[in-house]
Every structure is written in C-alpha cells, then in structure tokens.
C-alpha cells in the first residue's frame, strides 16, 4: 500500500512536469563540452529564466529541449499532451514554439504570411491558417499590421511578429532565446509586460533565456543560474511576489533584493573569465 501510494505520488509529480532534463551533457563534434551534466525540471505553466555567461550552453539547452539537437548523454522528457510525460525524439515545432534572438522573418512576405508559415508547413487549409495568423497577430497587438512587410516594422514589432509565429500553433511550451536583447529599454519593458499578460492568459510553460538579471527577476517565477561552460546549475532562485506583476514590482525593495541575490549567485560563473 505504501509502495503504491508513493508511486502514484511520483506519477502525479511527473505529470505536472512540462520539461525534465536529467544528467544531460552535450559535446559538439569539435570536442567542445557545452553542457552538463545538466538537470532541469520545469512544471507545466511555469515561467523560468535561464541566466548564465556567454557560451555556458543556454542556447544548446533550448535546442535540445526543442529537439533541434540531440544530447550526448542523459534523459530529456517533454510533455507532449495533456497529462502525459514521455521520452521522445521531438519533432521540431511539435507542441513547442521557439523565439530566437533575431526575428528571422521572410523579408518578401508580409506579417500575416510570416505568421502563417508554420500552419502552411503543417498543411492547414489557407482560410483557416489566415484566420489563425490574424488571431495570433492580434494577441501580440499587431491586428492592424497584418499586411505590413518586415521592412515597414520597427524592431519591437518584428519581435512581436516572431512571437505571434511561435504562438500560432498553440504550443504548450514556449522557448525564448534572448528575444528582447537587441531592443531599447522602453520597448523591452513593454514587451516584458505584454509577454507576462500573454503568459497569464494562455498559461504556457515558458523557458526564457536572457543575460539580464533585471529582466529575469521581473518575468520569472524561478531564475535558474548556470555555471560557466560546461553549463550546470549554479543556483535555482524562486521569485515570490504578488501577481500580476507590473511597474510597482519593478520599483519595489523586494525586486532589488531579488536582483541582488541573483547577481550574487551569478558572480562565481563570471569569476576569472572575460565577460566580453
Ligand atoms: N554547432 C556547434 N558546434 C560546435 N560548438 C558549438 C556549436 N554550438 C555551440 N557551440 C559551442 O558550445 C558552447 C555553448 O554555446 P551556446 O550557444 O549554447 O552558449 P550560450 O550560453 O547560448 O551563449 P550566448 O549567451 O553567447 O548566446 C560555446 O562554447 C559554443 O562555442
Ligand atoms: Mg545563446
């Protein structure tokens, strides 16, 4: 009886996980050990940030989670359907949306066509895909810009299109690799707020990579600090605050305290190496 209740407890905790990496390492063909051993468990609906020095394996970890690269060793589990966690080889885009640092839009196509691309590739009928693309554009505040081409959009708007393209397939998990790094601070703050609003309404699991301590604390429920390469977990810091977050949190003493703790956890990862 004891055994069965404890195994159902384990099952319950497994089904609550969106992503689980255990003992994951990555050695590239050129011999560079980028990651690991790396362990990470992300609960469904959680918003976490990965923070660490350049080259510590953050993008490598995201690519492995997305199925865009295989680990050299270890186990990767990603929830594919409601209530189910299973080992797999992920089909890129299957249940996962990926937002890259660069918006990577097709310059010859308007915003709607850019957002529609993943649906076209999946063979969705044109009219349905168009409606879904317009809905995704509206959700990121670009309802009036569906016909605009990338050259007609600002950097922040291009990033919004990229976000809409990641959301259009309604993924359970959103992976974001330094999406706002190239934007000015005010635009970045706006996108931070809009991303939080989207996360609250859509309840996706988000894994967000950033170099900014301030951004990670503002956005996340948990900040995972990585060591220098090969990336391992240096610290895992829970950010507990009143939700929904807004400018009040950004200017609060609690926010400064968290930023100080995260910076302190990050410092050893930078010691003795150039941060350039
Ligand atoms: N395709 C590849 N082949 C060989 N080495 C690679 C490859 N991709 C990444 N690396 C190396 O693996 C290490 C980790 O790279 P990765 O891009 O994951 O780091 P990162 O933490 O995302 O860095 P940044 O913050 O600068 O984006 C780096 O040393 C990088 O040179
Ligand atoms: Mg990177």
């Amino acid at each position: 009886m004891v055994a069965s209740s404890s195994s159902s407890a384990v099952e319950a905790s497994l089904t609550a996980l969106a992503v689980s990496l255990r003992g994951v390492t990555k050695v590239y063909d050129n011999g560079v050990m980028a990651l690991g051993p790396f362990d990470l468990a992300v609960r469904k609906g959680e918003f976490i940030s990965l923070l660490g020095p350049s080259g510590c394996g953050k993008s490598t970890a995201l690519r492995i989670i997305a199925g865009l690269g295989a680990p050299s060793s270890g186990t990767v589990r990603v929830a594919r359907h409601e209530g189910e966690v299973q080992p797999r080889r992920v089909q890129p885009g299957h249940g996962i949306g990926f937002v890259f640092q660069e918006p990577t839009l097709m310059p010859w196509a308007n915003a709607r066509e850019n957002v529609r691309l993943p649906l076209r590739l999946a063979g969705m009928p044109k009219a349905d895909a168009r409606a879904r693309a317009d809905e995704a554009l509206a959700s990121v505040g670009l309802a009036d810009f569906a016909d605009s081409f990338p050259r007609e959009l600002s950097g922040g708007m291009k990033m919004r299109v990229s976000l809409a393209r990641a959301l259009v397939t309604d993924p359970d998990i959103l992976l974001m690799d330094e999406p706002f790094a190239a934007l000015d601070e005010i635009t970045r703050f706006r996108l931070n707020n809009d991303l939080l609003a989207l996360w609250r309404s859509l309840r996706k699991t988000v894994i967000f990579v950033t170099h900014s301590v301030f951004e990670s604390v503002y956005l996340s429920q948990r900040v995972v600090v990585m060591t220098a390469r090969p990336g391992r977990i240096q610290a895992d810091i829970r950010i507990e605050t009143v939700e929904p977050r807004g400018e009040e949190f950004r200017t609060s003493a609690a926010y400064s305290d968290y930023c100080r703790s995260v910076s302190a956890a990050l410092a050893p990862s930078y010691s003795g190496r150039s941060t350039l």
Side-chain angles (χ1 to χ4, degrees), residues 139-152:
S139 77
V140 299
L142 288 183
D144 296 336
F145 293 88
D147 296 317
S148 301
F149 287 85
R151 65 174 176 277
E152 300 169 317

Side-chain angles (χ1 to χ4, degrees), residues 25-101:
T25 66
K26 177 70 183 181
V27 183
Y28 283 106
D29 290 346
N30 59 2
V32 169
M33 183 162 186
L35 203 61
F38 186 72
D39 297 280
L40 181 70
V42 185
R43 298 176 71 81
K44 284 185 179 167
E46 199 172 22
F47 194 130
I48 76 150
S49 285
L50 287 184
L51 196 63
S54 190
C56 77
K58 302 178 295 295
S59 298
T60 299
L62 284 196
R63 283 201 296 271
I64 287 173
I65 293 166
L68 299 170
S72 304
S73 63
T75 318
V76 181
R77 288 166 179 249
V78 176
R80 300 175 74 174
H81 307 292
E82 196 54 39
E84 187 183 341
V85 175
Q86 54 183 229
R88 67 204 184 112
R89 285 202 51 78
V90 190
Q91 293 299 311
H94 182 95
I96 294 181
F98 208 128
V99 180
F100 300 93
Q101 181 170 353

Side-chain angles (χ1 to χ4, degrees), residues 3-197:
S4 78
S5 67
S6 71
S7 73
S8 63
V10 169
E11 263 169 38
S13 69
L14 272 179
T15 54
L17 288 183
V19 174
S20 157
L21 271 61
R22 289 190 159 221
V24 167
T25 66
K26 177 70 183 181
V27 183
Y28 283 106
D29 290 346
N30 59 2
V32 169
M33 183 162 186
L35 203 61
F38 186 72
D39 297 280
L40 181 70
V42 185
R43 298 176 71 81
K44 284 185 179 167
E46 199 172 22
F47 194 130
I48 76 150
S49 285
L50 287 184
L51 196 63
S54 190
C56 77
K58 302 178 295 295
S59 298
T60 299
L62 284 196
R63 283 201 296 271
I64 287 173
I65 293 166
L68 299 170
S72 304
S73 63
T75 318
V76 181
R77 288 166 179 249
V78 176
R80 300 175 74 174
H81 307 292
E82 196 54 39
E84 187 183 341
V85 175
Q86 54 183 229
R88 67 204 184 112
R89 285 202 51 78
V90 190
Q91 293 299 311
H94 182 95
I96 294 181
F98 208 128
V99 180
F100 300 93
Q101 181 170 353
E102 297 298 326
T104 60
L105 303 178
M106 302 179 292
W108 59 87
N110 65 22
R112 178 185 296 113
E113 289 307 309
N114 269 286
V115 173
R116 206 164 64 96
L117 180 66
L119 302 178
R120 261 180 52 202
L121 295 175
M124 183 180 279
K126 198 170 177 180
D128 294 349
R130 184 188 163 104
R132 287 270 293 268
D134 283 352
E135 213 176 287
L137 281 167
S139 77
V140 299
L142 288 183
D144 296 336
F145 293 88
D147 296 317
S148 301
F149 287 85
R151 65 174 176 277
E152 300 169 317
L153 300 172
S154 69
M157 290 161 99
K158 280 189 266 209
M159 192 41 80
R160 286 176 191 274
V161 175
S162 174
L163 181 56
R165 185 182 51 194
L167 290 172
V168 77
T169 53
D170 193 23
D172 294 328
I173 300 168
L174 195 54
L175 305 177
M176 305 184 79
D177 197 352
E178 298 190 57
F180 308 144
L183 303 176
D184 69 83
E185 203 165 63
I186 299 295
T187 306
R188 191 171 183 161
F189 284 180
R190 272 200 197 126
L191 277 158
N192 283 170
N193 286 337
D194 291 352
L195 176 61
L196 279 182

